[in-house]
Amino acid sequence: MTDVIMHNVTSADGFIADDHDDIGPLFDWYFNGEEPLSDDGSFRMTPQSADYVRSTWAAIGAMVIGRRLFDLMNGWDGRPPVGDHVVVVSHRPKPAGWHPEASYHFVDGVAEAVAQARHLAGDRAVSVAAGEVGGQALAAGLVDEVAMDVVPVVFGSGRRYFGSVTGQHRLEDPHVVIRGDRVLHLRYRVRHAG
C-alpha cells in the first residue's frame, strides 16, 4: 500500500513560516553545499542532504497541499515540485484558464484528497504538506510517516508544522536521522491506535 508522508521544513520550534507566510532561513540549506541536487545546479547542498532529498523526492508520486500553499506558490506554474500530480484541498475550483494541461486536481476534503493522491501515485508515496492540511490528515489517521527537515532557527510564532491539530498523536522513534549543514532530517512512523 502507498505510504502517506507528512513532510515540510520546519523551525526548531515547529513553524513552517512566520505570521506573514515568510519562510526566512528555512530553505537556506538548499543552497549551502557543494553537491548539486538538480541538473541546472539551482540547489546545492551537502552530500548527506542531497542523497536524502534525491531519494525522498524520487519516491513521491503525488502531493497533497492546501489552497493557501497553492495560492502562495501559484501552483509552481503548473509543474509539480515533486511527483507527477498535485491534489489541492480547496472549496474553490482551479482558477479559470490556469495551466489547463497541469496535473493538478482540486477536491473539497482532506480524506478525498489523500484517497485521490494514493490512486494517482500508484506504488509511489504520497507527500502531504505540513500545516493545516497535514494536521487534518494526521488527526484523521491518514498519515503513515512524519518527515521533518529541522532548521536551527526559532520563529516564536507563525504557521505551525502540525496546523491546529488537537489531541495527542504518538510517533515511533525516528528511523531516519541525517545531519546536514544547518538542517537535521528526521523521519518518524506514526503509531496508529489499535
Side-chain angles (χ1 to χ4, degrees):
M1 180 164 229
T2 301
D3 271 348
V4 176
I5 304 166
M6 182 177 168
H7 180 255
N8 221 76
V9 178
T10 184
S11 66
D13 58 341
F15 294 100
I16 58 175
D18 70 13
D19 293 313
H20 307 288
D21 291 317
D22 188 348
I23 57 170
L26 290 182
F27 288 87
D28 287 356
W29 61 274
Y30 272 61
F31 311 99
N32 69 357
E34 64 281 355
E35 179 80 21
L37 184 65
S38 55
D39 292 337
D40 66 4
S42 57
F43 299 131
R44 300 184 75 78
M45 53 189 67
T46 64
Q48 300 88 341
S49 289
D51 289 347
Y52 172 74
V53 170
R54 267 191 214 101
S55 65
T56 299
W57 287 0
I60 296 170
M63 290 179 66
V64 174
I65 66 172
R67 184 61 182 248
R68 176 186 207 87
L69 182 56
F70 173 84
D71 288 343
L72 284 170
M73 301 305 298
N74 188 31
W76 298 276
D77 294 321
R79 293 181 302 277
V82 296
D84 301 319
H85 304 276
V86 176
V87 181
V88 182
V89 179
S90 177
H91 298 299
R92 293 178 284 141
K94 180 167 40 172
W98 182 87
H99 299 282
E101 77 291 348
S103 58
Y104 282 59
H105 314 270
F106 287 68
V107 299
D108 282 335
V110 171
E112 181 184 354
V114 170
Q116 184 164 0
R118 278 183 187 269
H119 172 74
L120 293 166
D123 59 355
R124 294 165 65 199
V126 169
S127 173
V128 177
E132 288 301 324
V133 167
Q136 289 173 31
L138 179 72
L142 301 172
V143 173
D144 301 305
E145 191 171 354
V146 172
M148 306 173 106
D149 300 318
V150 183
V151 174
V153 63
V154 175
F155 277 8
S157 66
R159 307 282 174 209
R160 299 163 84 49
Y161 182 92
F162 291 101
S164 55
V165 69
T166 58
Q168 187 177 88
H169 300 274
R170 306 270 317 226
L171 307 176
E172 300 293 341
D173 288 337
H175 64 92
V176 172
V177 179
I178 299 171
R179 182 179 173 193
D181 182 10
R182 306 291 300 159
V183 64
L184 181 63
H185 308 287
L186 300 169
R187 289 180 80 151
Y188 305 86
R189 299 294 296 174
V190 175
R191 187 182 293 177
H192 294 288

